[in-house]
Amino acid sequence: MLRNSLPKIVTAVPGPKSQELQKVRKNNVPDGVSMLAPVFVEKAEGAMVQDIDGNIFIDFVAGIGVLNVGHSHPEVVEAVKAQCDKYFAPNINVFNYEQYPRLAEKLNRLMPIDGEKKTLLVNTGAEADENAVKLARRYTGRSEIIAFAGAFHGRTYMTMALTSKVKPYKFNFGPLPSGVHRFPFPYCYRCPYGLKKETCDLHCAKMFEDSYFLEYVAPDQVAAIILEPILGEGGFVVPPDAFIEALRKLCDKYGIVLIADEIQTGYGRTGKMFACEYWSVKPDMIVSAKSVAGGIPIACVTAKAAIMDSVTAGEIGGTYCGNALAAASSLKILEIMERDRFADKAKHIGEICMKRFFEMEQKYEIIGNIRGRGAMLAVEFVKDRTTKEPAKDETKAIIQECLQNGLVVLGAGVRDNNIRFLMPLVITDDQLHAGLDIFDKSVAKITQK
Ligand SMILES: Cc1ncc(COP(=O)(O)O)c(C=O)c1O
């Protein structure tokens, strides 16, 4: 059974059948849609993907954090099929159906936000972030938004403005919406102020009142501060807890809405249901998507009821938002995640990976930094540990070498010199070690050339 198998490469990658289909893709699909593995999928189960040429890959990307419960979880497949037999999308603006309010009820219970909460369902992560901005602006009556260096919030116009990395996400797509201010993220390995974490005295947080609020934007014009509890696309950088506490204090002092973008960090990935459960403080709004429905598009904005109720009927929502098919998938997934303690699975995976990564750090000079939480981990590659010069080409070569040997991993970071690890949380220990063996050998091969 594919679910329990190990990687097996039986043709060149891509194989002949995938190469044939690549021609159809090349002629008909824009090159702007990026592609990591040039193979076409035949079937996928758990952490394993089989292509149409019979090659079997271990998937350490999981749809970029979409498949925390794994590919084709049997109970989710069953729940979606059962919903298909009834109805798909009567449209919540037209008819009522139980799945929408039931999912909202469940998310309101799970989300680490104080007080009464409400949840809006939409379709994609970017759409959820767009709505988060709309809600924060309406609630506060203010226009300005603070986002961070390294952030990724999506590809629509507002979320392009919120996103940090210029190429490929924003370049020559301007003008972008105004009202977004970007400040440094506490990326301690590459401190934007050149300081050391042990002695910096949280300089980056002090800069808000010492500089940013005087020189760039007045705090009483700021509707929201939006941040990922762990940078996703930005390279899985974990901010110090004290930085988050400082942000919370600023938000309380100036009446700013604190938004946690948990689109990549959420749903058990980091060893807690939500990464901001590690914080000693709570956000006012949480945006989530991806693993909440395991591949059927749905995204969620959960906020204090007062924020949600600042808009009136028709001002938020959309045709497919919170459709019954996606909501049925989500309800089943949340049941499975709580019942089978998925957050603990992430911790277990994280422990195994960290041990292996630190062993590799002893062997390979190219490993500059290892970081993350639970099963959301990254390895940063540098040409020199002292200068920290990014090893961009080597990172790309390691990703390709892994792929040729049956492991799919994805890069990250504004300097393109990280590999991120987001394996499905149902991965077996044997599969995990098999994948890590391929990663280890690939680093050896590329660095010892
Ligand atoms: C943290 C974060 N925010 C927003 C998004 C955008 O989500 P979507 O691709 O569903 O629009 C992503 C997608 O990777 C993400 O990781």
Side-chain angles (χ1 to χ4, degrees):
M1 205 184 185
L2 181 61
R3 192 174 301 282
N4 302 317
S5 64
L6 290 173
K8 192 170 168 204
I9 297 300
V10 294
T11 69
V13 177
K17 289 184 185 161
S18 281
Q19 283 182 34
E20 206 48 43
L21 272 180
Q22 279 299 345
K23 291 181 199 155
V24 182
R25 175 173 172 149
K26 182 72 193 156
N27 291 335
N28 296 284
V29 179
D31 291 344
V33 179
S34 70
M35 170 175 57
L36 172 62
V39 301
F40 283 78
V41 176
E42 172 71 29
K43 63 176 175 173
E45 289 176 3
M48 308 305 291
V49 176
Q50 184 173 340
D51 77 6
I52 54 176
D53 289 290
N55 298 302
I56 299 176
F57 297 87
I58 300 191
D59 182 2
F60 273 14
V61 183
I64 320 187
V66 171
L67 294 155
N68 289 359
V69 292
H71 293 274
S72 317
H73 191 293
E75 288 176 74
V76 179
V77 172
E78 204 180 302
V80 171
K81 279 185 180 164
Q83 187 57 48
C84 280
D85 285 340
K86 291 186 185 166
Y87 52 88
F88 288 12
N91 189 335
I92 199 67
N93 307 120
V94 181
F95 283 106
N96 278 284
Y97 45 89
E98 190 176 357
Q99 294 81 358
Y100 191 123
R102 286 278 177 231
L103 179 56
E105 180 183 50
K106 197 150 193 173
L107 291 170
N108 293 339
R109 174 173 66 74
L110 288 173
M111 293 282 173
I113 298 172
D114 278 334
E116 200 194 327
K117 290 157 257 181
K118 288 194 174 177
T119 291
L120 165 73
L121 300 176
V122 291
N123 302 294
T124 67
E127 191 185 355
D129 280 332
E130 293 266 354
N131 277 281
V133 170
K134 273 173 76 170
L135 287 159
R137 282 180 168 163
R138 168 60 61 80
Y139 174 69
T140 58
R142 303 172 182 178
S143 58
E144 306 305 286
I145 308 290
I146 291 175
F148 289 93
F152 183 83
H153 297 290
R155 290 180 175 83
T156 57
Y157 263 88
M158 186 67 213
T159 58
M160 258 197 289
L162 295 172
T163 288
S164 163
K165 192 175 180 179
V166 183
K167 285 186 181 178
Y169 301 127
K170 297 151 65 131
F171 187 68
N172 271 356
F173 287 132
L176 302 181
S178 58
V180 176
H181 303 266
R182 186 166 318 285
F183 296 138
F185 192 79
Y187 186 173
C188 300
Y189 178 65
R190 294 180 185 275
C191 174
Y193 301 99
L195 302 171
K196 294 252 172 296
K197 192 176 173 186
E198 303 71 40
T199 50
C200 72
D201 201 21
L202 215 60
H203 179 77
C204 52
K206 293 199 172 115
M207 285 295 279
F208 278 83
E209 288 191 303
D210 290 353
S211 160
Y212 310 153
F213 285 168
L214 307 173
E215 296 181 90
Y216 304 113
V217 61
D220 50 4
Q221 278 189 297
V222 178
I225 297 179
I226 182 166
L227 87 162
E228 295 155 85
I230 299 176
L231 286 187
E233 178 64 30
F236 289 15
V237 180
V238 187
D241 296 340
F243 180 79
I244 307 290
E245 284 163 22
L247 288 187
R248 179 71 265 176
K249 272 194 193 134
L250 291 171
C251 288
D252 289 342
K253 183 168 170 187
Y254 296 109
I256 299 168
V257 176
L258 184 61
I259 305 172
D261 179 340
E262 289 258 15
I263 289 169
Q264 200 161 150
T265 50
Y267 302 104
R269 172 56 53 190
T270 64
K272 304 250 186 209
M273 191 59 127
F274 297 99
C276 58
E277 286 173 53
Y278 283 102
W279 300 355
S280 59
V281 295
K282 291 184 178 141
D284 303 302
M285 198 188 296
I286 294 178
V287 183
S288 65
K290 293 194 186 249
S291 272
V292 68
I296 304 190
I298 197 166
C300 324
V301 185
T302 307
K304 291 185 169 163
I307 300 175
M308 277 294 174
D309 290 338
S310 64
V311 295
T312 55
E315 290 186 316
I316 50 176
T319 304
Y320 304 109
C321 292
N323 72 78
L325 207 56
S329 175
S330 294
L331 283 164
K332 182 51 75 179
I333 283 176
L334 292 175
E335 180 193 319
I336 295 168
M337 280 188 172
E338 285 193 290
R339 183 195 68 203
D340 296 349
R341 305 177 71 90
F342 266 63
D344 290 346
K345 290 185 197 293
K347 280 189 191 146
H348 172 73
I349 291 168
E351 279 161 20
I352 292 177
C353 289
M354 278 300 199
K355 187 166 177 292
R356 296 283 307 260
F357 292 156
F358 284 121
E359 282 163 15
M360 288 177 67
E361 192 186 31
Q362 304 296 314
K363 294 191 285 184
Y364 308 120
E365 278 292 307
I366 196 171
I367 295 183
N369 193 226
I370 295 163
R371 54 178 178 260
R373 254 176 184 157
M376 184 169 184
L377 302 168
V379 174
E380 177 157 354
F381 296 100
V382 291
K383 287 184 190 292
D384 180 306
R385 284 189 180 171
T386 313
T387 64
K388 300 182 184 173
E389 184 189 342
K392 182 176 165 173
D393 294 341
E394 293 82 349
T395 306
K396 202 173 160 191
I398 293 166
I399 292 171
Q400 284 310 314
E401 183 62 25
C402 288
L403 183 65
Q404 293 301 321
N405 290 286
L407 172 68
V408 183
V409 285
L410 182 64
V414 286
R415 295 167 190 81
D416 297 319
N417 67 322
N418 297 272
I419 291 181
R420 56 177 131 173
F421 297 85
L422 283 169
M423 51 288 284
L425 304 179
V426 291
I427 194 167
T428 66
D429 283 4
D430 283 351
Q431 290 167 340
L432 184 58
H433 280 293
L436 292 167
D437 286 346
I438 296 172
F439 177 57
D440 190 328
K441 283 185 192 144
S442 300
V443 177
K445 182 160 176 203
I446 298 306
T447 52
Q448 286 156 18
K449 261 183 183 162

